[in-house]
Amino acid sequence: MSARLVVLLVVLLLFMVIPSAVDLLTEWFWFGEVDYQGIFVRTLTAKAALGGVVFLVAMAALAFNFRLALRRITKPYMLFPGGGDIQPVVLTPRQLQLLGTGLAALVALFLGIFASNQWMIWLQFQHAVPFGQLDPLYGRDVGFYVFTLPFLDLARNLALAVVVLSLIGSTAAYVVSGTLALDPGRGLIVGVEARRHLGLIVAGLFLLLAWGAYLDVPRMLTTPAGIIHGASFVDVNLRFWVFRSLVGVGLLGAVLSAVTALTPRNLPIIAAVGLYVLVTVGGNLAAFGLQRLVVTPDEQQREAPYIVHNIAATRQAFGLERLDARELSGDATLTLADIENNRDTINNVRLWDHAPLLDTFGQLQEIRTYYDFVSVDNDRYLIDGEYRQIMLSSRELNSSSLPNRSWVNERLQYTHGFGIAMGPVNQVTQEGLPVLFIKDLPPVTSVDLSLDQPSIYFGELSNDYVIVGTNTDEFHYPEGDDNVSTRYDGAGGVVISSLFRRLLFAVRFRAYEIFVSSQLNVDSRILYHRNIIDRVTTIAPFLRYDDDPYLVITDGRLVWMLDAYTITDRYPYSARATDGINYIRNAVKIVIDAYHGTTTFYLADVEDPIAKTLQAIFPDLLRGLDEMTDDLRLHIRYPEGLFSLQTSIYSTYHMTNPAVFYNKEDQWDVPIVDGEQMEPYYTIMRLPGEARAEFIQMLPFTPRGKNNLAAWMVARSDGDAYGKMLVFQFPKQKVIFGPNQIVARINQDQDISPQLTLWNQQGSEVVQGTLLVIPIEEALLYIRPLYLRASGGRIPELKRVIVAYQNQIVMEDTLDESLARLFGSALGPAPGALPAGTVLAELDVPQPADTAAAAANAPVGTEPLVAQASAHYRRALQAQREGNWALYGQEIERLGEMLTRLGSEQN
């Protein structure tokens, strides 16, 4: 038996204790390297202190109760009868006492581990910062519900677990000893010691039930109730009193249980249990009756005050209370002058979607198979003096795609990605491919943006460890048939100069090569936690992180910017989002250097009480936003994840009238286009009533069950306007075409639909881009890019741009050409303008003597006819080249009509 025990202990040591200790020690090294050891120590001590206290208290209570009950066993007890070759297991009373103590220690250990994982609840309770907002029913600060109530629940649940386990274990011990038995003739037999002991435990149980009922009163404000989240009519007028009654019944039950413990009578404890059950069941039945007989027949009026509480709390919790709602007339008509006055908006319309652009980058800019473009980011830069929206993507190294996946290649040589692909959102080459401002290896830039350090050691794809500063040169980038090498000169990495450290990391990463490789030296450093999400989550697991980190060029180097949120699901009366939270703030901005790995957390919302509490817990974690460089602050953007959540909530909670809210009379939806819900998108535009264009994020709304447009909502990102949200609403009596209606009209258009069908039949795949809603003044343009991808190919080419305005839909090669067809040709020369009249003569169509002159000298008001004639002519030539003679005939006929009308208007 002893030999088996030794073997068991050795196995436990090898497979549990040593790996855990190695992980702990190597994490200590890493936190020192990133300069956050204070957080590591604070977290570790909090876990150890809370878990240790719970373990000791639980073990003391359980061991005391178990040993007290086991004292009544005075004879050896057969634990296992045995059989065959297996000997029976018989324990002496002393061995039973030791077994009870061991069992108490094991249970207490599990309780301690559970408690240690709740360390943040304890720390937030200790350092809670008040919200300065009171709940509408009891006048408690919101901080009570967010910080105090969770800790009280934790303490009560742990105490309840100890008492219930003590009751179960003690009852079992008394049954084994015969002190507690059920006799068919005499009924329940309870010894004096068992009565006293179990009666006092039950008294403790009743006290905890009374405590739970007391906490249930404020908890009503944080739980769903009928049509709202929070206390409803039934809760306030009935359940409140039921819980208060249960508090009294629990206290009375504790007294009656104590009486039973100290007297030979069983009736008091039976009465206590019966009374508690009666009040609980009776309260639930009464609540059901009150809901059905009183509330349901007049629910709107009964629940109106609580709906008001729910609306106000939800808007406050999701940062919607200061949203600026503005009305639009719905009657605005765009002119050519409006288009020209909003050139900053037009010049930054995003014609490249993320997916097609990522495919194009992958084909044209990956250069080697082991490079990957993971995602495309939207941002804005001042380029050559012009404020422009751009899209960029990092060229990261994917070690799983290496042709020779040896340990040296994956961990020592191919250590980092290199460079980016970056271009404007609205420019294309003649071949329909994106224009790139920064491209190739080594990076070549065609604008006034410098990139001095393009190496990417920390990124979205960098999820494995690498070792730098070794005897092996690192691969930098390919150059012709050769490779350029480099050596890491950054600040990142944990030194592994000693054999002991090499052994530790060999154990941690299950890689013996770290210990035995001759390529490592005293200057070698190991880089891990290189994936930026993993990196920040390891440092601060108590924050929630946005799904879309984005890359920024600043001072010639690459850094990642990432948004983090403070959240809770305990805000009183606030509705819960689909992920369960009911309060959120974008309180933290994070910057991670792609070369050095330096990770800096900035406090972005100084008013957020949860962020203030975290600052009190971890004084060295959050820096002031004023410590961020001026250039980086220009690239702060409103996070898409937060805006998506807020638009989802606002689609219901823009209704502030309780009667309208109850009936959902004005419920909005995010439009569904091509079977998928529209997503928010970034753009640079001049908002109605504003003096200049700015970087915003926007999303349209439609009324629930309808397709017309109801409103559009924006979040601003620039300067002092950062974080401000606006919603522009159209009159309900006006019908403004919505995205789905525009898509249907595009697909049914007699000019566009046949062309799309023809392209698809000719072996190409037509990819319809994101439908963009572009507000100009108080009117709307709908813009949709079209891409063509060759059959079996991966490179999509931007071939057409569709623009819809009111009842008109046009499709041309470029956005400017489409706008010229709608609003006139004064937007500037467009490719493919009308040729001289001699060409038209060959086509045998009506024409003025000199079409070019007519276009140049066209009277005011005829510019749209000239633009339309030009467009019909170009489409006729295109149809001729493609052999589409039906479309060719239609376009020639329309061209003739346009020229005839033009000639008559000139005369």
Side-chain angles (χ1 to χ4, degrees):
M1 179 68 72
S2 59
R4 292 178 181 176
L5 183 60
V6 170
V7 171
L8 181 62
L9 290 175
V10 170
V11 171
L12 184 67
L13 187 68
L14 287 177
F15 291 97
M16 293 186 65
V17 177
I18 290 179
S20 297
V22 168
D23 286 346
L24 187 67
L25 190 54
T26 52
E27 286 295 89
W28 167 259
F29 294 152
W30 184 80
F31 271 89
E33 181 251 312
V34 295
D35 200 24
Y36 286 111
Q37 272 186 340
I39 295 176
F40 183 78
V41 171
R42 190 79 170 97
T43 303
L44 197 61
T45 54
K47 288 182 176 181
L50 183 60
V53 168
V54 170
F55 169 75
L56 291 175
V57 172
M59 181 179 174
L62 292 170
F64 172 79
N65 284 290
F66 290 172
R67 291 177 69 90
L68 184 63
L70 288 169
R71 284 193 315 172
R72 300 299 302 167
I73 302 178
T74 58
K75 297 179 181 179
Y77 178 74
M78 182 177 292
L79 188 64
F80 180 70
D85 297 333
I86 302 176
Q87 297 296 319
V89 178
V90 179
L91 300 179
T92 65
R94 177 172 175 77
Q95 289 174 327
L96 283 173
Q97 292 276 345
L98 292 174
L99 178 63
T101 303
L103 185 61
L106 182 61
V107 173
L109 178 63
F110 284 112
L111 289 176
I113 293 173
F114 169 79
S116 69
N117 291 326
Q118 313 303 312
W119 59 277
M120 182 50 72
I121 292 178
W122 180 43
L123 289 180
Q124 287 185 326
F125 169 72
Q126 285 184 303
H127 300 274
V129 174
F131 273 66
Q133 303 156 16
L134 305 181
D135 80 73
L137 284 189
Y138 308 122
R140 287 189 174 99
D141 187 88
V142 172
F144 170 81
Y145 298 91
V146 175
F147 302 127
T148 304
L149 187 57
F151 178 74
L152 296 178
D153 281 337
L154 174 65
R156 184 249 181 186
N157 290 334
L158 288 171
L160 187 64
V162 171
V163 170
V164 170
L165 291 171
S166 296
L167 182 62
I168 294 172
S170 299
T171 301
Y174 284 122
V175 170
V176 169
S177 67
T179 310
L180 180 64
L182 185 63
D183 186 89
R186 300 167 55 191
L188 182 65
I189 301 174
V190 184
V192 175
E193 289 189 12
R195 176 188 300 277
R196 182 184 304 116
H197 186 192
L198 297 179
L200 292 176
I201 292 178
V202 172
L205 180 60
F206 271 110
L207 288 175
L208 291 174
L209 291 175
W211 188 14
Y214 176 79
L215 296 179
D216 283 337
V217 174
R219 191 180 294 108
M220 290 191 302
L221 275 67
T222 65
T223 52
I227 62 173
I228 62 168
H229 194 90
S232 63
F233 179 90
V234 172
D235 293 326
V236 174
N237 292 279
L238 180 63
R239 285 200 173 92
F240 171 84
W241 300 108
V242 171
F243 289 140
R244 286 298 174 90
S245 300
L246 286 175
V247 172
V249 171
L251 295 175
L252 179 61
V255 173
L256 293 176
S257 298
V259 171
T260 298
L262 301 175
T263 65
R265 291 176 294 177
N266 295 330
L267 183 60
I269 196 170
I270 296 174
V273 172
L275 184 60
Y276 195 89
V277 172
L278 178 64
V279 173
T280 301
V281 174
N284 288 333
L285 291 175
F288 177 79
L290 183 64
Q291 177 69 37
R292 287 303 181 102
L293 300 177
V294 177
V295 176
T296 301
D298 192 20
E299 190 174 45
Q300 178 181 323
Q301 293 299 320
R302 298 287 186 182
E303 299 289 10
Y306 312 106
I307 292 175
V308 171
H309 297 331
N310 173 244
I311 293 172
T314 302
R315 289 170 66 96
Q316 174 71 34
F318 287 96
L320 300 172
E321 78 285 359
R322 292 190 295 272
L323 187 144
D324 185 6
R326 302 181 184 178
E327 297 290 334
L328 298 175
S329 65
D331 297 322
T333 300
L334 284 181
T335 65
L336 181 61
D338 294 324
I339 299 298
E340 290 293 351
N341 290 337
N342 287 270
R343 259 294 154 189
D344 286 340
T345 300
I346 298 299
N347 289 343
N348 286 284
V349 171
R350 196 192 77 196
L351 298 181
W352 282 103
D353 281 357
H354 288 189
L357 188 60
L358 197 60
D359 288 343
T360 304
F361 283 169
Q363 288 297 300
L364 302 180
Q365 284 292 305
E366 281 184 0
I367 313 296
R368 293 289 188 271
T369 58
Y370 41 77
Y371 285 128
D372 272 350
F373 288 99
V374 182
S375 63
V376 176
D377 300 319
N378 274 278
D379 203 355
R380 69 285 197 201
Y381 288 81
L382 194 64
I383 296 178
D384 295 333
E386 185 179 354
Y387 191 56
R388 305 195 63 173
Q389 183 180 356
I390 60 89
M391 302 178 80
L392 77 161
S393 184
S394 60
R395 187 184 292 104
E396 298 198 45
L397 189 137
N398 185 352
S399 59
S400 63
S401 298
L402 289 172
N404 180 13
R405 296 189 59 189
S406 66
W407 183 82
V408 171
N409 279 350
E410 289 191 49
R411 308 303 181 190
L412 308 185
Q413 191 167 16
Y414 290 86
T415 56
H416 60 281
F418 194 76
I420 63 171
M422 171 182 172
V425 296
N426 65 326
Q427 285 185 251
V428 295
T429 66
Q430 292 182 349
E431 295 79 18
L433 300 175
V435 170
L436 295 179
F437 290 158
I438 302 178
K439 61 181 179 179
D440 297 341
L441 294 172
V444 176
T445 177
S446 60
V447 293
D448 59 350
L449 278 177
S450 62
L451 185 54
D452 304 321
Q453 182 48 268
S455 299
I456 302 172
Y457 283 83
F458 302 87
E460 295 180 275
L461 198 61
S462 306
N463 52 4
D464 293 322
Y465 75 92
V466 295
I467 303 175
V468 298
T470 67
N471 299 330
T472 301
D473 287 337
E474 299 173 51
F475 168 78
H476 205 29
Y477 60 88
E479 188 174 57
D481 295 332
D482 298 323
N483 292 332
V484 176
S485 298
T486 188
R487 300 189 72 81
Y488 182 69
D489 192 32
V494 175
V495 175
I496 51 173
S497 54
S498 67
L499 282 177
F500 176 67
R501 288 200 173 196
R502 290 171 63 171
L503 177 61
L504 287 176
F505 285 104
V507 172
R508 175 182 175 125
F509 293 111
R510 313 294 191 268
Y512 70 92
E513 294 92 344
I514 297 176
F515 184 68
V516 302
S517 176
S518 61
Q519 297 301 310
L520 275 60
N521 55 54
V522 294
D523 297 321
S524 298
R525 283 177 287 164
I526 184 168
L527 279 61
Y528 51 110
H529 290 310
R530 297 195 302 137
N531 176 277
I532 53 178
I533 297 296
D534 172 55
R535 193 172 186 82
V536 296
T537 304
T538 303
I539 295 172
F542 38 81
L543 295 172
R544 173 173 290 189
Y545 296 95
D546 194 78
D547 294 330
D548 186 26
Y550 58 102
L551 198 62
V552 173
I553 303 174
T554 178
D555 297 328
R557 57 193 179 91
L558 298 173
V559 301
W560 295 95
M561 298 193 77
L562 177 63
D563 291 279
Y565 309 113
T566 51
I567 59 170
T568 184
D569 59 358
R570 297 280 191 146
Y571 198 97
Y573 265 115
S574 175
R576 287 184 176 174
T578 53
D579 58 356
I581 66 170
N582 70 350
Y583 172 93
I584 187 169
R585 289 292 185 271
N586 178 211
V588 180
K589 302 285 186 180
I590 306 165
V591 176
I592 306 108
D593 192 290
Y595 184 69
H596 297 286
T598 308
T599 305
T600 309
F601 292 73
Y602 295 95
L603 179 61
D605 188 346
V606 296
E607 301 299 325
D608 177 40
I610 299 180
K612 289 181 180 179
T613 300
L614 293 177
Q615 201 168 24
I617 298 170
F618 306 107
D620 300 326
L621 174 62
L622 301 175
R623 298 186 183 184
L625 201 60
D626 56 354
E627 296 184 43
M628 184 183 290
T629 65
D630 292 340
D631 184 61
L632 272 180
R633 293 185 69 175
L634 294 175
H635 294 280
I636 289 176
R637 68 182 194 185
Y638 200 83
E640 186 175 336
L642 176 59
F643 187 64
S644 295
L645 179 61
Q646 289 174 317
T647 53
S648 173
I649 296 296
Y650 192 75
S651 65
T652 299
Y653 283 88
H654 71 277
M655 298 179 286
T656 54
N657 183 297
V660 175
F661 182 92
Y662 175 81
N663 293 302
K664 299 295 187 288
E665 297 175 17
D666 194 22
Q667 178 81 35
W668 292 347
D669 276 334
V670 176
I672 304 293
V673 176
D674 297 332
E676 295 184 1
Q677 190 177 69
M678 288 188 71
E679 296 181 352
Y681 51 89
Y682 293 101
T683 187
I684 289 178
M685 64 170 288
R686 183 167 68 84
L687 295 171
E690 299 296 330
R692 65 177 186 84
E694 56 186 295
F695 189 65
I696 63 145
Q697 192 175 180
M698 71 168 294
L699 189 68
F701 293 108
T702 57
R704 173 157 291 182
K706 298 181 180 180
N707 290 323
N708 59 287
L709 202 66
W712 49 279
M713 183 171 169
V714 302
R716 306 169 77 175
S717 292
D718 285 352
D720 295 336
Y722 174 83
K724 294 180 180 179
M725 288 186 291
L726 302 92
V727 62
F728 296 88
Q729 297 179 237
F730 294 102
K732 294 179 176 60
Q733 65 272 18
K734 298 285 184 180
V735 177
I736 309 297
F737 286 129
N740 225 17
Q741 293 170 316
I742 294 297
V743 169
R745 293 183 61 214
I746 290 173
N747 292 334
Q748 296 167 7
D749 186 84
Q750 61 180 351
D751 294 330
I752 298 175
S753 181
Q755 183 63 67
L756 300 183
T757 302
L758 181 63
W759 278 329
N760 279 319
Q761 290 174 347
Q762 290 178 339
S764 297
E765 177 191 0
V766 177
V767 180
Q768 299 197 36
T770 300
L771 181 70
L772 302 174
V773 184
I774 306 297
I776 304 289
E777 302 300 339
E778 291 197 8
L780 294 176
L781 291 177
Y782 284 95
I783 298 176
R784 186 168 213 180
L786 290 184
Y787 312 95
L788 282 187
R789 180 188 282 119
S791 179
R794 280 190 58 191
I795 303 180
E797 299 175 1
L798 179 60
K799 286 299 183 184
R800 296 288 189 274
V801 179
I802 300 173
V803 179
Y805 170 64
Q806 294 183 347
N807 292 318
Q808 305 173 71
I809 298 177
V810 298
M811 180 177 74
E812 293 298 333
D813 292 345
T814 67
L815 175 59
D816 277 347
E817 290 181 54
S818 293
L819 292 173
R821 280 190 61 190
L822 288 173
F823 301 104
S825 58
L827 290 169
L834 271 175
T838 54
V839 178
L840 295 175
E842 295 173 6
L843 297 175
D844 194 23
V845 296
Q847 57 176 300
D850 189 340
T851 308
N857 300 313
V860 176
T862 63
E863 295 96 329
L865 294 178
V866 175
Q868 292 178 42
S870 174
H872 286 305
Y873 173 74
R874 290 195 307 277
R875 283 201 294 270
L877 292 182
Q878 182 68 25
Q880 184 185 40
R881 286 192 294 267
E882 295 172 352
N884 187 354
W885 299 109
L887 179 61
Y888 172 78
Q890 295 173 8
E891 293 298 335
I892 291 299
E893 182 179 348
R894 289 171 187 153
L895 174 58
E897 293 173 359
M898 291 296 104
L899 293 177
T900 300
R901 288 176 57 190
L902 181 60
S904 64
E905 291 195 16
Q906 287 179 323
N907 295 329

